[in-house]
Amino acid sequence: MAVSLDEIARQVEACRKCGLWKSRTRPVVGEGSLDPKIMFIGEAPGRNEDLQGRPFIGAAGKLLTELLRGIGLTRDDVYITNVLKCRPPGNRDPLPEEVEACTPYLDEQVKLLRPRIIVTLGRFSTFYAFSRAGLTFTSMVKVRGKIFKSQLLGLRVSLMPTYHPAAALYYPKLKEPLIKDFEKLKKELEGLDSVDESRTISLSDFM
Ligand code: URA
Ligand code: SF4
């Protein structure tokens, strides 16, 4: 288990656990608040992200930044990362073996950052979070904009899937539900209890 985010970054920089290291320019570990209430999980770096080593800085990132601003947040208020840390060639879909090889890093990031809310962007990150929470993923249409009070990786979190911002760039009809989901996220954030009761799952939870 990694002891710190810096250690995860070092591991990812040196990683050759799947074939994507061969074609990447730079891996993208993630960035943002180190004590985030909200963690956003995308799919994988795109072209711009691969060149600069930062998540969501291209067109989809611009939309994500706008959506955040719409609910009074900046990128520094949240943590942003992806299921895969290296770009799949031509932005193809992640392969199952790549997801399996890479998600231990994401697991560690979740455990270290301990977000109260996890927002998954698109089906790959939603599938990941659902599997960690013991939930069955059906389809984005069915689950998006819903809050799943979950226990995941030893943590209690509100899990909210929504559409990937890139999908809303291809299908402008998705922008309105995406904005709605961010409004829901704002409400969930406001509703977080100020008292931070122990969020680590304890024996009493099973009795
Ligand atoms: N799309 C993603 O899923 N992640 C990024 O970082 C950029 C685009
Ligand atoms: Fe390693 Fe993940 Fe990059 Fe594959 S995508 S080489 S598992 S960091």
Side-chain angles (χ1 to χ4, degrees), residues 56-69 75 165 169:
F56 281 99
I57 52 162
K62 189 162 169 271
L63 178 53
L64 176 61
T65 307
E66 263 173 40
L67 288 160
L68 283 169
R69 186 165 357 109
R75 290 172 64 107
L169 297 176

Side-chain angles (χ1 to χ4, degrees), residues 8-16 24 26-29 105:
I8 294 174
R10 273 191 292 274
Q11 289 174 3
V12 167
E13 297 281 343
C15 184
R16 294 184 168 193
R24 75 181 176 209
R26 300 179 59 177
V28 178
V29 183
Y105 297 123

Side-chain angles (χ1 to χ4, degrees), residues 48-107:
N48 294 289
E49 291 79 15
D50 173 73
L51 290 173
Q52 291 193 43
R54 296 181 54 207
F56 281 99
I57 52 162
K62 189 162 169 271
L63 178 53
L64 176 61
T65 307
E66 263 173 40
L67 288 160
L68 283 169
R69 186 165 357 109
I71 58 167
L73 296 174
T74 69
R75 290 172 64 107
D76 294 338
D77 294 323
V78 303
Y79 192 85
I80 305 173
T81 188
N82 287 301
V83 170
L84 293 187
K85 308 312 189 200
C86 304
R87 182 194 185 203
N91 298 349
R92 65 157 168 74
D93 284 351
L95 301 174
E97 58 266 34
E98 292 162 354
V99 173
E100 198 188 324
C102 206
T103 43
Y105 297 123
L106 182 53
D107 291 343

